[in-house]
Amino acid sequence: MPDVIAYGGDWNPEQWPEETWEQDVALMREAGVNRVSLGIFSWSLLEPVEGVFEFGWLDRAMDLLAVNGIRANLATPTASPPPWFADTYPEALPVDADGRRLYHGSRQAFCPSSPIYKEKALRIAEQVALRYRDHPALALWHVHNEYGCHNARCYCDASAAAFRAWLRSRYASLDELNDAWGTAFWSQHYSDWAQILPPRATPSFVNPGQLLDFRRFSSDALVELYLAERELLKQITPGVPATTNLMAGAHWDMDCWAFAAELDVVSTDHYLIGARAEPHIDLAFAADYARSLNGGRPWLLMEHSTSAVNWQQPRNLAKAPGELRRNSLAHLARGADGIMFFQWRQSRAGAEKWHSAMLPHAGPDTKIFREVKALGAELAGLADVAGSRVEAEVALLIDHSSVWAQDHPAQPSSELDPVEEAKRWHAALWRAGITCDIAHPEGDLSGYRLVLVPQLYLVSDAGAANLEEFARRGGVVLVGPYSGIVDEHDRVRLGGYPGAWRDLLGVTVEEFFPLAEPIRLASGATGRLWSEAARVTTAKVLDTYASGEPAWTRNEFGDGVAHYLTTLLDDAALAGVIGTVCGEAGVEPAAGTVPGVEVVRRTRADGGSFLFAINHTGEDATVTTRDGRTVTVAAGDAVVVPG
Ligand code: GAL
């Protein structure tokens, strides 16, 4: 990572006549841009005919950047194969679960398991690497673009063969697979590996184990494609770091943990969903997730938008004055050392011409470009923040396998949404001024005081033991309902729910009672969507349903404590419970909280620290720092102060 804040966006000079480029770089310099992502969707221009390479325009673009002191996240352009590829190798196009082949004419039209796609992708990646290996503008490899954004799962015959190979390496025998998938049910027993298919359209519910493994396989297939490109790049440019832009928190088809483990630096994209209530809290979740994926180290925001996107139909909301700055500083506050946008210059043509950019259609004399310039200057002034870290005392557990398993349509309730529930718990912490990491259930929890488990339907034996161990050693745990229910193959853990954590929680549950209507608890709180017929074994009951059955319990376990909720509490009551467990764990907010004002701290290795206070409200606010100073943050403003 650079020792300044990286600032810039996707530069797509190939969309413009070369006369425009000089103006581009002059305006970039005016805006303080020091980094661009380049060549992401340029395969069809770099290799216009199979095996014929034309680099002239990219040479000139790279040279122009170098002369102007701007560095490049240079892409391997493999996210969008050219029309000649689809034309010559139609078998490499992706196929959906209904057997429909998807054609070229947009992007990512390839099957992730296609050998010919891999071969051609590696060839163009190699050409780019050989050409620019020593170029002074090259800072970072931007491998592909948003793996799996549109083609995360392919159901073609090549995918079926690759899925079988993946299963053979996961299961020692067909017997083991039959057992894991529970194929005795509905006469699904396999007697030959060749009978196994991707979960294509079926008359009724597909086998849950098959579905879950297919999602794991599909994510792994994308990681493998990344690894193939990365290995090639490392051979040619061993000293140049590589990344690919994830979609952490927004897109759940790819296992971000598996990807992150292979990146030299985690980078991610985040698009504000304007229609969401308090979208800046969703932003904070994505940023916290990105930092956690990078092991707490600074990460790179590869893309966000200066204003509206053009894909949240029916209404794409433009950002209000100041919102671009608040969004950018919120990412910075949560550990980003680079703030980048899609894209530098707003396209004139193509499917994203209505997507905002740093330099809008109307030119530089605009609200957006003025804000872009001001932000560039501000980030240059915050160079000292680069390299500092956000330290969280709370971890919130989430796992892709669990999300995927719960996605199977045959559930006790289709109204439970583990991602939204995790975000709701995260929002309660946000409002309390407490920053949390997002952690994998099998990850290292030893540095935390409090672990939250909003809804972890599936947990492996190792993950289950990990949480128990955390509590045994003195940690505080809060588990939400429908957690710890199944094993890693989506098989029920028997003997009373939640089978993984009956001892930890001191509770056993006989039956689930999804709720049609909210119900009132003894405390006056409301439970929604879900309830359970639970019985305490060693826990104490802190709140109950009208029936007297427990809604909230607390169990002492080893040197620690484990709380359990058997319903989805309303926001205020949930905030109360989270406040209680934070208190028990001794977790402190970054500063005194004011509703709607985001407070986060970054700390330098030398002990110096920066308090970010971002006022998302229309009223001026006064924040009190931990050492008792007061800081005024005007309506819509953000400040960064020592502390
Ligand atoms: C991202 C993608 C960019 C652009 C952007 C705006 O998903 O990486 O290429 O499409 O969204 O829609």
Side-chain angles (χ1 to χ4, degrees), residues 10 40-41 107 145-146 149 245 247 269 271 303 309-311 342 352 355:
D10 288 15
I40 298 174
F41 296 107
R107 61 179 174 183
N145 189 71
E146 293 186 341
C149 182
N245 45 341
M247 298 169 282
D269 301 343
Y271 287 92
E303 296 177 16
V309 302
N310 71 331
W311 40 259
F342 174 84
E352 298 205 298
H355 191 289

XYZ file of all heavy atoms in Angstrom, residues 10 40-41 107 145-146 149 245 247 269 271 303 309-311 342 352 355, ligand 1:
177
model
N -11.537 4.188 -12.123
C -11.317 3.446 -13.372
C -11.165 4.475 -14.492
O -12.048 5.313 -14.697
C -12.548 2.587 -13.721
C -12.725 1.381 -12.813
O -12.092 1.338 -11.746
O -13.524 0.501 -13.171
N -9.518 -2.499 -17.787
C -10.326 -3.592 -17.221
C -11.161 -4.304 -18.295
O -11.250 -5.520 -18.308
C -11.228 -3.067 -16.081
C -10.362 -2.517 -14.955
C -12.146 -4.167 -15.564
C -11.127 -1.832 -13.831
N -11.758 -3.515 -19.177
C -12.623 -4.131 -20.197
C -12.042 -3.930 -21.595
O -12.744 -3.530 -22.516
C -14.044 -3.560 -20.088
C -14.691 -3.908 -18.774
C -14.863 -2.954 -17.778
C -15.090 -5.210 -18.510
C -15.427 -3.293 -16.556
C -15.655 -5.557 -17.287
C -15.823 -4.600 -16.313
N -21.157 -8.579 -20.513
C -19.816 -8.917 -20.021
C -19.873 -10.220 -19.218
O -20.957 -10.699 -18.896
C -19.224 -7.776 -19.189
C -20.027 -7.438 -17.956
C -19.365 -6.317 -17.154
N -20.213 -5.905 -16.049
C -19.924 -4.914 -15.211
N -18.813 -4.226 -15.363
N -20.733 -4.606 -14.231
N -12.208 -8.643 -13.005
C -13.058 -7.632 -12.376
C -14.246 -8.325 -11.734
O -14.977 -9.061 -12.398
C -13.580 -6.632 -13.416
C -14.269 -5.450 -12.767
O -13.622 -4.600 -12.155
N -15.586 -5.395 -12.867
N -14.417 -8.112 -10.447
C -15.583 -8.651 -9.726
C -15.917 -10.081 -10.185
O -16.969 -10.340 -10.778
C -16.796 -7.739 -9.894
C -16.617 -6.401 -9.207
C -17.877 -5.547 -9.234
O -18.754 -5.807 -10.069
O -17.972 -4.618 -8.425
N -19.566 -11.783 -10.675
C -20.638 -10.787 -10.534
C -21.874 -11.220 -11.318
O -22.995 -11.084 -10.851
C -20.132 -9.432 -11.013
S -21.358 -8.133 -10.837
N -10.981 -7.051 -7.287
C -11.974 -6.295 -6.516
C -13.141 -7.195 -6.119
O -13.873 -7.694 -6.958
C -12.448 -5.048 -7.274
C -12.773 -5.293 -8.742
O -12.348 -6.277 -9.329
N -13.541 -4.399 -9.324
N -16.745 -7.906 -3.816
C -17.983 -7.155 -3.599
C -18.467 -7.472 -2.187
O -19.597 -7.904 -1.972
C -19.020 -7.550 -4.648
C -18.577 -7.220 -6.066
S -19.642 -7.973 -7.306
C -19.029 -9.650 -7.267
N -15.436 -3.301 -3.830
C -16.286 -2.261 -4.408
C -17.502 -2.106 -3.513
O -18.010 -3.099 -2.980
C -16.757 -2.675 -5.807
C -15.585 -2.927 -6.752
O -14.462 -2.478 -6.428
O -15.801 -3.564 -7.800
N -21.328 -0.051 -3.522
C -22.297 0.895 -4.104
C -23.417 1.140 -3.116
O -24.039 0.197 -2.620
C -22.813 0.367 -5.448
C -21.717 0.520 -6.477
C -20.816 -0.509 -6.726
C -21.524 1.737 -7.104
C -19.761 -0.327 -7.607
C -20.471 1.924 -7.984
C -19.593 0.895 -8.232
O -18.549 1.099 -9.087
N -13.809 0.654 -5.958
C -14.862 1.388 -6.665
C -15.934 1.807 -5.679
O -16.315 1.022 -4.809
C -15.586 0.490 -7.680
C -14.790 -0.038 -8.825
C -15.659 -0.967 -9.700
O -16.898 -0.950 -9.601
O -15.061 -1.722 -10.471
N -26.035 5.498 -9.390
C -25.710 4.368 -10.255
C -26.824 4.292 -11.302
O -27.757 5.099 -11.280
C -25.607 3.046 -9.460
C -24.569 3.165 -8.375
C -26.955 2.656 -8.877
N -26.734 3.345 -12.215
C -27.836 3.237 -13.192
C -28.443 1.841 -13.201
O -28.951 1.387 -14.199
C -27.377 3.653 -14.599
C -26.450 2.631 -15.210
O -25.753 1.942 -14.495
N -26.444 2.528 -16.523
N -28.409 1.198 -12.027
C -28.956 -0.159 -12.012
C -29.828 -0.463 -10.799
O -30.207 -1.582 -10.586
C -27.838 -1.194 -12.131
C -26.590 -0.892 -11.353
C -25.444 -0.374 -11.870
C -26.355 -1.057 -9.951
N -24.503 -0.208 -10.876
C -25.038 -0.624 -9.696
C -27.133 -1.519 -8.892
C -24.484 -0.626 -8.411
C -26.583 -1.532 -7.611
C -25.274 -1.094 -7.386
N -15.763 4.128 -9.606
C -16.107 3.809 -10.979
C -16.896 5.009 -11.447
O -17.963 5.262 -10.901
C -16.966 2.549 -11.111
C -17.419 2.362 -12.534
C -16.607 1.746 -13.455
C -18.640 2.876 -12.973
C -17.000 1.625 -14.780
C -19.025 2.757 -14.293
C -18.207 2.136 -15.197
N -23.456 1.834 -19.307
C -23.321 2.567 -18.043
C -23.171 4.075 -18.271
O -22.584 4.771 -17.449
C -22.166 1.991 -17.227
C -22.463 0.529 -16.876
C -21.756 0.010 -15.645
O -20.512 -0.020 -15.653
O -22.458 -0.375 -14.696
N -24.401 6.079 -15.448
C -23.762 5.891 -14.138
C -22.854 7.088 -13.887
O -22.097 7.494 -14.762
C -22.955 4.589 -14.151
C -22.480 4.169 -12.797
N -21.490 4.841 -12.126
C -22.874 3.160 -11.993
C -21.286 4.247 -10.951
N -22.116 3.232 -10.853
C -19.168 -2.626 -10.737
C -18.219 -2.935 -11.872
C -17.892 -1.723 -12.726
C -19.152 -0.955 -13.010
C -19.765 -0.554 -11.692
C -20.953 0.367 -11.793
O -19.919 -3.755 -10.415
O -17.019 -3.477 -11.393
O -17.290 -2.147 -13.917
O -20.010 -1.755 -13.760
O -20.163 -1.716 -11.015
O -22.123 -0.235 -12.187
